[in-house]
Amino acid sequence: MADLGDAPPRDDMTLLLARVRALSAEHTTSWEFPADPAVVTDARQATARQLADWGLDELAFTTELVVSELVTNAIRYAGGPVGLRLIRKNVLVCEVTDPSNTQPRLRRARTTDEGGRGLFLIAQLTTRWGSRYGQSGKTIWTEQLLTTPKPSEL
C-alpha cells in the first residue's frame, strides 16, 4: 500500500488466512440422506452410534438435538440431499450440508410463535456455529468442546 502513493486504492482488498490440518479417517465420518422427514431419526441414531464409538457418550444428547434441528431445517427449507458430517479433533464439529444458498438467520421467537427457536437453541447449546457456502449449496456447522472447561478458562 505504501508504494501506491497518496491516492486511495480504487478497490478493497481482502486477505484470507487459513489453517489447514490433515485428519485421519478415524476422526471423521459422514452420511448423506434424502429430503424425507423420516430420515431425521436415522441421522440422530447414526450420530449417537458414532459418538459412542468415539467414547463421547456425554455429548450424545446435545449433538442429537443439534443434528435433529439442522437436518430438519435442511429438509424443510432446502430439499435434498442432506449431508451430515462429524469431525472429532480438539472439538466436535457437526456439519449439515444442503443445496440451498439461503443464509439461516438467528431470531428470537415470541412466546406465541410456533417455530423460530432452532438456531437460538443451537447457539445456546454449542460453543460456536456458523455457515459457509460451497459450489452447490451451504454448510451449517457447529462446534462443541470435548472437555468441560475449568472456571478459570471461561
Side-chain angles (χ1 to χ4, degrees):
M1 295 294 292
D3 294 339
L4 295 177
D6 292 334
R10 294 183 356 189
D11 287 328
D12 291 335
M13 288 192 276
T14 301
L15 174 63
L16 174 64
L17 298 174
R19 178 178 40 170
V20 295
R21 297 168 261 167
L23 293 175
S24 62
E26 66 204 31
H27 291 285
T28 66
T29 189
S30 60
W31 303 271
E32 187 170 287
F33 300 100
D36 179 359
V39 302
V40 176
T41 300
D42 299 335
R44 289 178 68 131
Q45 290 172 348
T47 298
R49 281 192 305 273
Q50 186 61 54
L51 292 177
D53 289 348
W54 283 340
L56 298 174
D57 296 300
E58 71 276 2
L59 295 178
F61 179 78
T62 301
T63 308
E64 284 184 66
L65 186 59
V66 167
V67 165
S68 181
E69 182 61 35
L70 293 179
V71 171
T72 299
N73 283 351
I75 292 168
R76 179 179 294 152
Y77 300 113
V82 175
L84 169 61
R85 180 166 72 158
L86 299 176
I87 304 168
R88 174 190 58 126
K89 190 62 177 168
N90 300 328
V91 294
L92 176 66
V93 177
C94 174
E95 298 179 337
V96 174
T97 302
D98 66 53
S100 171
N101 288 322
T102 303
Q103 176 74 21
R105 287 187 354 220
L106 177 68
R107 65 185 187 100
R108 291 185 184 265
R110 295 184 307 250
T111 55
T112 56
D113 290 344
E114 291 185 20
R117 293 172 182 82
L119 287 177
F120 180 76
L121 285 173
I122 286 171
Q124 299 300 309
L125 294 172
T126 62
T127 308
R128 297 185 328 152
W129 74 276
S131 65
R132 67 178 181 273
Y133 293 103
Q135 290 180 347
S136 59
K138 69 176 173 307
T139 299
I140 309 296
W141 56 267
T142 66
E143 287 184 2
Q144 296 175 69
L145 296 176
L146 294 180
T147 58
T148 305
K150 298 173 187 153
S152 62
E153 296 173 342
L154 294 175

